[in-house]
Amino acid sequence: AQSVSQHNHHVILSEAASLELGCNYSYGGTVNLFWYVQYPGQHLQLLLKYFSGDPLVKGIKGFEAEFIKSKFSFNLRKPSVQWSDTAEYFCAVTGGGADGLTFGKGTHLIIQP
Amino acid sequence: DTAVSQTPKYLVTQMGNDKSIKCEQNLGHDTMYWYKQDSKKFLKIMFSYNNKELIINETVPNRFSPKSPDKAHLNLHINSLELGDSAVYFCASSPGQGKQYFGPGTRLTVT
C-alpha cells in the first residue's frame, strides 16, 4: 500500500524567508507526485506535479519541488515566501490509473508579516 | 465556468438522517472520486468511479454509497448519519495520470 509522510505539521515563517516542506512516500511502482495547496476556506489547488523527466519541477506562484528517487522524497521549496502563502500544503502520490490520490497529513504554513 | 461543482456547499443535519451530496464535472473526464477531509485536515479517498467500475476504500462504512447517473455526475449518498461523519467532502475528476481537479467541497455538520 502506498503512503505519504509529511514531516512538518506546522511551520511558521516570516515574510521573505525560504521554505522547504518535506515529503517522503512509499510506493512499489512508478509514481506520480503532487503538491496541492488549500487556502483558508477554499478547495484544493494543484501547485505542481511530477510524472517523469526532469526531477526538478516548477509550479505556480514560485514554488518548485525536487524528486529524489533514491530518497523517496519530493520536497517543496520556495526561495522567498509571502504572507499570501499562508495555507495548508498537501503532498500526494498515485500510481496512476483510477486508484486516486494518497495524501500526506498536510503542513499548516503560517507566514508572519 | 466551474469545472467541478458540488451542491450543497454547506449541509447541517441531525443524526440518523439520510442525505446526498451532488457532484458534476464538465471536463469530459472518465474518472471521478470522493474524498473526505476530517477536522484535522487529513484527506482520504473514499471512492473512485471509472466507466462504471467502482473502487471502494475498504475503510468506508457501507452507509456511504456513490451513485453515478451518467459520466458527468457522481453523487454521494449517506444513510443514517453519525456525528463522526461531520467533515468536508470533496469531489474530484481526472483525465488520467493521477492529475485531479477538485470541487469546492461540501461541509457536512451532523448534530
Side-chain angles (χ1 to χ4, degrees), chain B residues 1-15:
Chain B
D1 287 339
T2 303
V4 182
S5 59
Q6 293 178 229
T7 53
K9 189 171 182 180
Y10 300 96
L11 180 56
V12 181
T13 188
Q14 291 184 327
M15 286 175 57

Side-chain angles (χ1 to χ4, degrees), chain B residues 22-85:
Chain B
K22 294 184 177 181
C23 177
E24 177 181 1
Q25 55 100 359
N26 62 8
L27 298 167
H29 295 162
D30 288 331
T31 308
M32 296 182 71
Y33 305 84
W34 277 104
Y35 291 86
K36 178 181 180 181
Q37 187 175 42
D38 63 22
S39 59
K40 295 183 179 180
K41 301 286 188 181
F42 184 45
L43 275 156
K44 194 167 185 180
I45 188 164
M46 301 177 71
F47 304 102
S48 67
Y49 197 86
N50 180 309
N51 291 328
K52 300 187 179 182
E53 179 188 6
L54 177 66
I55 302 171
I56 301 172
N57 184 322
E58 60 186 14
T59 65
V60 175
N62 57 15
R63 297 181 295 102
F64 290 79
S65 56
K67 299 188 188 304
S68 180
D70 55 58
K71 182 178 161 180
H73 297 83
L74 184 65
N75 303 326
L76 182 65
H77 189 75
I78 315 168
N79 289 327
S80 303
L81 278 156
E82 300 177 358
L83 291 176
D85 298 332

